[in-house]
Amino acid sequence: MKKKIVAIVIVIILISSTGGYLLFSNHEEESSNHNEESSNQNGRYWDDDYFSPIRQSGMFLKGDVDNDGDIDLTTLNTVTSEIITFLNNGVGEYNEVLNSSGVYCNDIKFGYLNNDNFLDIATAGDYILINNGDGSFTKKYMQLVDRTPEVIIVDDFNRDGYDDLVTKCRAGSDQYVRLHYNDGKGDFKNYSKKIFVFLGNDITEGESADVNQDMKPDAILNYGNLISIQINDENNDFVEDIIGYDKFGCHKLKFLNLVDLNNDNYIDIFVICGSQYGAAKDAFIYVSYNNGTYPLPEVEKIEFGNYTSGFREISDIVFFDYNKDNYIDFVFANESWINIYCYKNQSVYCKELQKNINGQDILALNADDLNNDGLSDIAVLQEDRLIILKRQEHGNFVSTEFRY
C-alpha cells in the first residue's frame, strides 16, 4: 500500500432529475493483456429497506481471481446466498460464471488469506472462501473470538505477509471492533485483540489505508454520522481520531471510499452525506487535507459548479480517469442512470450522463481497464445481467451484455 495521508472528502448530492448524455454504440472492440489487480477492493454497505438481493449486500469486487492477468468481477447475492464470480477471457468478455453457495453474510472483501498467491474472499459471516486456483472457491469455517461479524476489513495489519481481519460484531447494544491475526494458513482463532467497544450509532462500513505514513495500514470506520480513523501503532494498538458530526453536518454517511482525488499522493476519504431520512438537499464537496497533525484540519468547501443536479437514489459510486488527464473522476449510478463527473484541481468541471441502461435499476458499478487496451471501462451490474461499457479513444463507449 502506498504511503499516503488522509484527507476528508464529503459529497452531498441533490436529489433531482437531470439531462445530459453519454454516447454508446452496440459494437465490441479488440484488446490485449492486462496487469494483475490489487488484492484489496472497496466493498459497500446498503440500507435494509432496499429490496434488491445484490444491492443489499452492495459487494461488487474486481480482482484477478484466476491469476491469468485479466480483471475478473465478483459479487454477493444475499437472497440465494451465492458468491458469483465472472471470469474475464482477456478481452472484457465474461462468459464463464462460477457460483459459491451457502454464504450468509453482509460484507465481502478480497484478500490473500492462505499464502498461495491466489485471491481469497473474507466474509462478514461464518466463512472465508479459499481460492482453488481457477477462480472457484471452497468454503472454510472461520472461527473467531466474537460473534459473527457484520463489517469486515482485510489487510496485513502487522506486516507479516499475511492478510488479517478487522471485524465489527454486536452484543446487545455494544459493538466490538476486533483485530484478528492470520496464522498464514487462513486461521484467525489463535490470537486477536479488541480495538474498542462502541455504544453509539451503527458502524456500517470499514476500509484500510496507511494514513500516517508509517508503512502500516490503519482502519477507517463509518459510524453513520462520523468517521473514525483508527491509527495502527508500532504495537498494533489503535489510537482513534474522530472526524465528527460537526464537520459533516448530516446524519447519514454512505459509500465510504479511499481515493486520491487531487493527484497529490494523499488518500482522500470520500463519502456521500444524506439527511437523517435519506434525502440530500445540496451538492458540495468538502476536503480537509491532512498536514500530519491530529485532529484533522477543518473541511473546505468545493463547489460542483453548474453540475449539481442529478439523483433520486444513488446505488453505487466508482472512480476512474474518464478523460485521461491523470485525475480521478466520479461515476455515480442512480436507478437506471449513469452520471460521470470530471474532477481536477479541487473542482468539478464537466458532467456526462447516460440516463437509461435497459430500463433496469443499476445495482452496482466498478471500473478498470477490462479489455487491456489502456482505457478505463465501466462494469454495470443489474439484477439478471452484467453490462460492460468499453471506453473508446474518442470518449464513447461500446456496450456488451452478459446474462447470468
Side-chain angles (χ1 to χ4, degrees):
M1 194 173 289
K2 294 181 179 179
K3 297 181 180 179
K4 295 187 176 180
I5 299 177
V6 167
I8 308 306
V9 180
I10 305 167
V11 178
I12 306 177
I13 305 300
L14 176 65
I15 311 300
S16 64
S17 60
T18 62
Y21 296 90
L22 266 178
L23 299 178
F24 283 78
S25 62
N26 295 318
H27 305 288
E28 299 188 25
E29 60 185 51
E30 302 298 326
S31 62
S32 55
N33 294 324
H34 195 284
N35 59 325
E36 184 176 351
E37 175 61 30
S38 167
S39 65
N40 292 320
Q41 303 298 336
N42 288 341
R44 299 285 187 273
Y45 173 87
W46 303 92
D47 295 332
D48 292 334
D49 57 1
Y50 188 79
F51 64 87
S52 167
I54 294 178
R55 190 182 174 192
Q56 282 179 346
S57 70
M59 304 303 114
F60 192 31
L61 311 181
K62 62 181 180 181
D64 185 5
V65 299
D66 54 0
N67 280 9
D68 64 354
D70 306 312
I71 296 298
D72 308 305
L73 300 168
T74 298
T75 191
L76 168 66
N77 187 317
T78 57
V79 169
T80 63
S81 302
E82 289 180 311
I83 302 289
I84 305 172
T85 300
F86 305 92
L87 294 182
N88 192 341
N89 66 359
V91 295
E93 296 176 353
Y94 293 83
N95 296 320
E96 187 171 1
V97 178
L98 302 176
N99 295 330
S100 302
S101 60
V103 182
Y104 300 91
C105 64
N106 298 318
D107 197 3
I108 60 174
K109 298 283 174 62
F110 277 144
Y112 293 100
L113 302 181
N114 64 339
N115 200 29
D116 64 357
N117 202 35
F118 284 93
L119 278 176
D120 309 303
I121 298 175
T123 74
D126 294 322
Y127 297 95
I128 60 174
L129 280 75
I130 300 299
N131 196 326
N132 297 320
D134 59 358
S136 63
F137 296 89
T138 299
K139 288 192 304 181
K140 178 180 179 180
Y141 180 69
M142 180 174 58
Q143 184 175 348
L144 299 179
V145 174
D146 286 326
R147 302 181 180 188
T148 299
E150 299 174 356
V151 174
I152 194 164
I153 306 173
V154 180
D155 213 324
D156 185 4
F157 287 96
N158 60 348
R159 283 297 183 242
D160 63 354
Y162 309 122
D163 278 343
D164 310 303
L165 307 179
V166 167
T167 61
K168 187 268 296 202
C169 301
R170 184 185 301 277
S173 61
D174 295 346
Q175 297 180 77
Y176 294 88
V177 177
R178 184 180 290 272
L179 171 62
H180 308 267
Y181 291 104
N182 191 343
D183 67 356
K185 300 178 182 178
D187 289 323
F188 302 90
K189 62 183 179 181
N190 294 328
Y191 182 55
S192 69
K193 63 167 63 177
K194 190 173 293 182
I195 298 176
F196 67 93
V197 179
F198 184 66
L199 305 178
N201 286 1
D202 195 22
I203 298 172
T204 59
E205 298 177 287
E207 300 296 341
S208 62
D210 181 10
V211 306
N212 59 344
Q213 293 190 316
D214 64 353
M215 299 299 294
K216 298 182 73 174
D218 310 299
I220 295 89
L221 301 168
N222 179 3
Y223 286 17
N225 66 348
L226 56 86
I227 297 294
S228 168
I229 302 173
Q230 299 287 331
I231 302 297
N232 186 2
D233 68 13
E234 65 275 7
N235 299 315
N236 295 125
D237 294 322
F238 288 80
V239 179
E240 185 174 49
D241 179 28
I242 290 288
I243 305 161
Y245 172 81
D246 58 328
K247 294 187 179 181
F248 293 115
C250 67
H251 296 269
K252 197 171 187 179
L253 304 177
K254 301 196 300 182
F255 300 108
L256 175 65
N257 279 272
L258 310 180
V259 61
D260 180 10
L261 282 174
N262 59 345
N263 211 24
D264 61 357
N265 291 324
Y266 297 158
I267 282 288
D268 307 314
I269 295 181
F270 181 103
V271 292
I272 287 182
C273 180
S275 74
Q276 186 173 5
Y277 303 104
K281 297 181 179 180
D282 277 312
F284 305 113
I285 294 178
Y286 290 91
V287 179
S288 177
Y289 293 105
N290 190 340
N291 58 10
T293 62
Y294 295 91
L296 295 173
E298 293 297 321
V299 296
E300 299 175 12
K301 179 179 175 181
I302 295 181
E303 300 283 354
F304 255 74
N306 297 321
Y307 310 104
T308 58
S309 59
F311 303 99
R312 295 180 178 89
E313 180 65 24
I314 297 171
S315 57
D316 207 356
I317 300 170
V318 292
F319 303 86
F320 77 123
D321 186 3
Y322 166 74
N323 52 6
K324 298 178 66 177
D325 63 354
N326 295 320
Y327 284 85
I328 296 298
D329 306 309
F330 316 142
V331 186
F332 297 97
N334 69 297
E335 298 185 345
S336 60
W337 298 47
I338 284 183
N339 310 264
I340 297 179
Y341 290 95
C342 306
Y343 182 81
K344 185 178 182 181
N345 296 329
Q346 303 180 27
S347 65
V348 174
Y349 65 91
C350 80
K351 177 181 178 181
E352 300 290 345
L353 180 71
Q354 166 66 30
K355 69 176 182 179
N356 191 349
I357 297 184
N358 295 331
Q360 292 190 22
D361 284 351
I362 297 171
L363 308 181
L365 295 174
N366 222 315
D368 210 307
D369 181 8
L370 302 177
N371 60 343
N372 307 308
D373 63 353
L375 301 174
S376 292
D377 312 302
I378 302 174
V380 179
L381 188 67
Q382 295 181 318
E383 189 170 356
D384 61 351
R385 71 196 71 190
L386 171 68
I387 297 174
I388 304 300
L389 308 177
K390 300 177 184 179
R391 178 73 188 275
Q392 309 291 290
E393 282 287 351
H394 48 74
N396 293 351
F397 287 84
V398 170
S399 176
T400 306
E401 180 179 300
F402 307 98
R403 296 292 185 113
Y404 66 94

